[in-house]
Amino acid sequence: MSSVDNRQDVPEKVASLAAERGLGTLIDKRSSGNPIRSALTIVAVGAVAILVSVALFAFAASWRPLVWVAIPPLALGICAVGWFVVVLVRGFEAGYLYPGGMVYVRNGNARATTWAEVTEVEVQVFGAGTLFAGKTAAYLVKPTGQAPMRVNSTDVGLKDGEQDQVGALILRLASEAGRPITQKLVGRK
C-alpha cells in the first residue's frame, strides 16, 4: 500500500468534503495533471511529427522509398490532434482515496462518496487488437445517484510484474467494503 506524504497539499474543498463525510485520513491520490500543459506538449509532439513527415515526403520526390518512412510520423501527428481534443475535453481529474471513501475532483468541482454508497468499481481493460491489450485503462468508481468517478491507470507505463498502486488500493478498499468489482473491455475486442 502506498501512502501520501502529509506535506502534500490537499485542496481545502477536498479536505472539508472528506471531513464532512467522515472518510478518515487521506491514504493516496491520483491526478491527471495540468490539462493545458499536457495539451501543449501534445501539440508540440504532433507539430514536430508532421514537420518531419512533410520533410520526408519532400525528399521522397527524389527517392521513392522515403514515402513509407514518412507515413508513421504523419499518423502520429494526426493522432496527436485527436489526443489534444480528448485531453482538453476531459480536463483536470483527481481522485483522493480515504479508508471511508473517495473525493473526486473534475475541473474544480469536488464530490465525495463513501465506499458503502458505491454500487461497483468497473475496471476498464484495453481489449485485444489495441496497442495496450490486457492493460488497465482506468478505474470507474460508480456511486449511487452520481456520475462515475474516473481514476486513470498507470498500468500501460509499468513493466511486467509491477502493479498500479492506486488502482490496487481502490480495488482493495472497495472489496473490503463488499462492493463488486467488474471488468469491461474498452477499444477493440
Side-chain angles (χ1 to χ4, degrees), residues 4-19 23-30 92 94-98 103-105 110:
V4 172
D5 182 347
N6 290 333
R7 296 170 295 179
Q8 290 180 344
D9 292 347
V10 175
E12 179 56 38
K13 62 183 150 195
V14 170
S16 65
L17 258 177
L23 301 182
T25 304
L26 182 67
I27 301 172
D28 212 339
K29 69 179 184 172
R30 164 94 26 94
F92 174 81
Y96 297 84
L97 302 172
Y98 295 86
V103 177
Y104 175 74
V105 179

Side-chain angles (χ1 to χ4, degrees), residues 28-90:
D28 212 339
K29 69 179 184 172
R30 164 94 26 94
S31 166
S32 64
N34 183 331
I36 302 298
R37 184 179 305 142
S38 297
L40 291 175
T41 301
I42 291 166
V43 165
V45 168
V48 167
I50 288 174
L51 288 173
V52 167
S53 179
V54 167
L56 289 170
F57 276 120
F59 288 126
S62 59
W63 192 50
R64 208 73 180 135
L66 278 180
V67 167
W68 297 107
V69 177
I71 293 173
L74 178 62
L76 176 63
I78 292 168
C79 289
V81 171
W83 192 243
F84 169 82
V85 171
V86 167
V87 165
L88 287 180
V89 168
R90 186 167 288 153

